Structures are given as structure tokens and as C-alpha cells.
Amino acid sequence: MDKFKQIRAYRNSWLLPLTDCLFTMPWLHTLVWRKTKGIKLSYLQIDGKTESESRKIIEQDIKHGAFFMTNHRDIVLDASWVTMLLHGRYFKRPYVGIGDNLLVKWYVEFAFRFNHGFIVRRQGGPREILQNSLLLSEYIQYLRKHNKSIWLAQREGRAKDSNDRTQPAVLKMLTLTADKNLTFIDQVKTLNICPISLSYEYDPCDYLKAAEMQLKRDNPDWKKSKQDDVKSMLTGLRGKNGHVVFRMTPSINHWIDAHMEELNLMSKNDQIQAVAEQIDRQIFAAYEIFPRGTEFDKYIESRLALIDIPNKDNAFLKEKLYEMYYNPVKNHEQYKQH
């Protein structure tokens, strides 16, 4: 019996390559043509290295599989386009983690089956959540032991304000079932985490995210419905993204090796925080910074006009719209100053 059956969102089938060729890949490339001004897979230039040398280091890091951890912008397209780009260049199709709240429409399930999806179950009481986390951790450990690549967002849900921060809870979950004879740092090294930074010139869901932030501000108990998730997915698939850049960065194992002595003196909680912050730094460093001229102010006004909620607070909403586009710039600049 396959003990991982309950969290797999895909079916192994000889039809999968045929489905990819006839339906999935053409669909994704059509979205690129219709929604973007071009999509690019790029590489972070490592300090002291040329672009060519940096690319060779990163390609060597992912040679035997990697754990690709990214910031999160679009429910469907983040994972789908990462998969399309990695498969097109390296014939690697990572196994993709998805929240169980998102499998609500056939096209979402179709995309995630293409992505070798596995389900991140978020429902239930504390005991059930722990059991689901243990099973998920064991599955991820199983995949990495077999040199399979994995994609997972750095946090549960999207950062609505684009202030991308890795949740320590994600790192704790990943190592729940790791070899107990290893230290936490060595457990992390076996995962071979290679952050990828996702940069969209425009976010079709920006006005929806701003609206959600006001609704949450006005009512702390407000929660998104399944219909809200469906609307976000459809808006993300139909809207325009402008230029899109996915930039790969080296394995964090290089950083771990360089700071091992310092890390070994820390408590486990401090180690977890240090690893999370390093993932963030690599994502910040790899952002594509898009120029924003006077036309961008008109764009923000046009997005503000799309918001239809009770007691609409235009000043707050405009601030949040600007914030979600300038937080990546601020984080990138802060990274360069250190």
C-alpha cells in the first residue's frame, strides 16, 4: 500500500508525457504569450564571480535535484511557470506542494497534476495537523533521498504586501522526520535548498489583495471564502503580468559551510531563524527591479477603481497598492547595503 497516496495530487500514468505535449505545455506557453511581455529564467550573479561562473555553480547545485523555495505571488502560475522553465531548460519537473484549500476547480487540479503536486493539508485540529505535517515531512524526505526536485513557497499563502519572509514553521516542518542522528543544520543541508526569486512587473490580483487587507483591518475575524480563492485564481490567470523574471540562486549549503562554526554555537531556534533569513537574503538579492515612471501612478489609480467593498478607504487602499510594489525594492536595497 502506498502510504503517501493521500497527499499525492497527481496520478502516475503513461499518458502524462502525451498530456504535457498536447495540452499543458501549449496552455502555459499561450499564457506567456497572452499575459506577459516575456518570461525569463535568469541567475543571480554571485559576488566575485562572472555571470557565466555563477550560472555554472547554480547548475551544479541542482544537478542531483534541489529544494526550490520561492516567494509567492500567484496561486497557479508561480509553480506552473517555474516547472515550465526548469523542464524546458533542464528537463527537471519539481514536485509541487499545494494547499488543500486550492483544489476547488478542474483547471487548478489539471495544472497541479502537471506539476506533480502533493497536498499540504491545513485543515483539522492540532493533532490532525501534526499528523499531516509528519506525513508531509516524510514524503519530502523520501523525494530528496531519491534526488527528486521539489517546489514549495517560503510561507503559507501569498505575502499580500510583497514583503517576502520565510516562515520558520516551514523549515521546522521540513525537518520533522529527518535523520535524528544529524543536527538541524545538517538536516537542512540534505534538502539542498536553492531559493528562486519570482518577479512580476504587474500583479493582476493586486487590487484584490488590497481589498482583503482593508477587510481584515476592519474585521480581524474576516476570512477568505473558497469563492474568494477561485476569484483570485481566475484573476491571476486572466490578467496581465508585464515582464516576468524568475531568477535562480545558489544552494544555501554554500552559506552554511561558510558559517558552520557560528551556526554550531546557536540554539536550534536561532539556527532556524538564521536559515530563514538567509533564504530571504538570496530572494531579495535576486529580485528584478522594474522601472516605475509617472504612468505607474495612473496604473495605481486604475486598480483602485476596481475595488468594490463596504466603507472603501481610498487612502488606505492606495497606500497598500503602492506598498506591495515597493516592498521588493526596499528589501532589495536593504540587502545591497549590508
Side-chain angles (χ1 to χ4, degrees), residues 161-174:
D161 61 359
S162 300
N163 188 19
D164 301 311
R165 305 285 171 174
T166 302
Q167 286 180 330
V170 173
L171 297 174
K172 291 178 183 178
M173 178 278 293
L174 293 174

Side-chain angles (χ1 to χ4, degrees), residues 45-62:
Q45 186 168 347
I46 303 167
D47 290 341
K49 305 290 183 183
T50 66
E51 286 187 27
S52 177
E53 289 170 337
S54 299
R55 176 171 176 169
K56 287 179 181 177
I57 289 170
I58 294 169
E59 289 178 336
Q60 189 63 34
D61 287 346
I62 69 173

Side-chain angles (χ1 to χ4, degrees), residues 211-265:
E212 288 172 19
M213 283 189 269
Q214 184 189 324
L215 291 168
K216 189 70 174 178
R217 183 203 68 178
D218 295 346
N219 177 14
D221 295 325
W222 180 85
K223 291 183 179 179
K224 286 176 65 176
S225 66
K226 286 188 176 180
Q227 193 56 41
D228 291 324
D229 283 330
V230 171
K231 185 176 182 180
S232 292
M233 285 186 272
L234 284 174
T235 302
L237 289 170
R238 292 169 177 168
K240 302 294 185 181
N241 294 104
H243 295 284
V244 178
V245 178
F246 289 8
R247 184 164 285 123
M248 300 174 67
T249 75
S251 170
I252 67 167
N253 289 358
H254 299 290
W255 170 82
I256 289 175
D257 290 339
H259 294 83
M260 185 63 81
E261 186 175 344
E262 179 184 347
L263 289 166
N264 284 336
L265 296 175

Side-chain angles (χ1 to χ4, degrees), residues 25 83-92:
M25 282 298 187
T83 298
M84 179 191 77
L85 291 167
L86 290 173
H87 187 262
R89 187 165 295 181
Y90 299 112
F91 297 100
K92 287 185 181 295

Side-chain angles (χ1 to χ4, degrees), residues 13-44:
S13 170
W14 64 270
L15 288 173
L16 187 61
L18 182 62
T19 303
D20 285 354
C21 292
L22 295 180
F23 301 106
T24 314
M25 282 298 187
W27 174 64
L28 289 173
H29 283 285
T30 298
L31 286 178
V32 171
W33 172 78
R34 185 175 61 81
K35 288 171 50 61
T36 80
K37 294 179 181 177
I39 185 169
K40 179 171 68 171
L41 181 63
S42 183
Y43 305 85
L44 176 66

